[in-house]
């Protein structure tokens, strides 16, 4: 039986690349990679939830939506930009899927004042 893993370039490919199969990465796997990348890009507030991502992949092109909570006051535009860059880079590097869009949704802002008020039982 011929060795199919032989790296020699002079060897003819007995089975075409298309006939060997394809690798499919589930949307939920790409979403987990995106959420982890968002976590790496920001500091998650102590009382906040970690980022959550949802992904739609169509023909090796992904659209990513990341929901997160941020500390305030801070440069929100800079933090969201850092999340977009990190998510796009990590997803493309780890999966080979091209990312056309990364939408960042800030669901909640956490400040030192609201954390202090919550400890005393008051609503902000």
């Amino acid at each position: 039986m011929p060795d199919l893993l032989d790296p020699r370039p002079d060897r003819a490919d007995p089975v075409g690349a298309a006939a060997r199969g394809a690798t499919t990465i589930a949307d939920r796997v790409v979403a987990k990679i995106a959420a982890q990348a968002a976590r790496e890009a920001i500091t998650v507030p102590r009382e906040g939830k970690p980022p959550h991502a949802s992904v739609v992949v169509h023909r090796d092109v992904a659209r990513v939506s990341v929901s997160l909570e941020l500390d305030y006051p801070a440069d929100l535009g800079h933090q969201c930009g850092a999340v977009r860059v990190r998510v796009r880079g990590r997803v493309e590097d780890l999966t080979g899927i091209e990312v056309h869009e990364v939408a960042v949704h800030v669901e909640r802002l956490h400040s030192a004042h609201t954390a202090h008020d919550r400890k005393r039982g008051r609503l902000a």
Side-chain angles (χ1 to χ4, degrees), residues 57-73:
V57 179
H58 182 67
R59 295 187 180 160
D60 293 333
V61 174
R63 296 198 186 302
V64 181
S65 178
V66 179
S67 299
L68 47 82
E69 298 180 8
L70 297 173
D71 279 329
Y72 184 81

Side-chain angles (χ1 to χ4, degrees), residues 1 11 14 22 31 33 48 63 66 73 88 94 99 103 120-121:
M1 177 169 174
R11 188 181 156 115
I33 293 169
R63 296 198 186 302
V66 179
R88 174 175 279 123
L94 294 175
V99 178
R120 293 192 314 182

Side-chain angles (χ1 to χ4, degrees), residues 6-13:
D6 190 354
R8 291 180 293 176
D10 61 335
R11 188 181 156 115
D13 187 6

Side-chain angles (χ1 to χ4, degrees), residues 82-103:
V83 168
R84 282 187 197 94
V85 168
R86 183 68 177 189
V87 167
R88 174 175 279 123
R90 294 295 281 168
V91 169
E92 289 180 351
D93 289 346
L94 294 175
T95 65
I97 296 172
E98 190 174 340
V99 178
H100 280 194
E101 177 184 342
V102 179

Side-chain angles (χ1 to χ4, degrees), residues 107-122:
E107 292 189 342
R108 182 171 292 148
L109 296 174
H110 295 273
S111 73
H113 297 299
T114 58
H116 178 68
D117 288 345
R118 252 184 269 138
K119 289 178 185 174
R120 293 192 314 182
R122 291 189 344 205

Side-chain angles (χ1 to χ4, degrees), residues 20-44:
R20 286 194 297 262
T23 301
T24 303
I25 301 172
D27 290 4
R28 64 189 163 98
V29 173
V30 179
K32 285 185 178 191
I33 293 169
Q36 178 61 37
R39 222 175 277 123
E40 294 166 1
I42 61 167
T43 302
V44 177

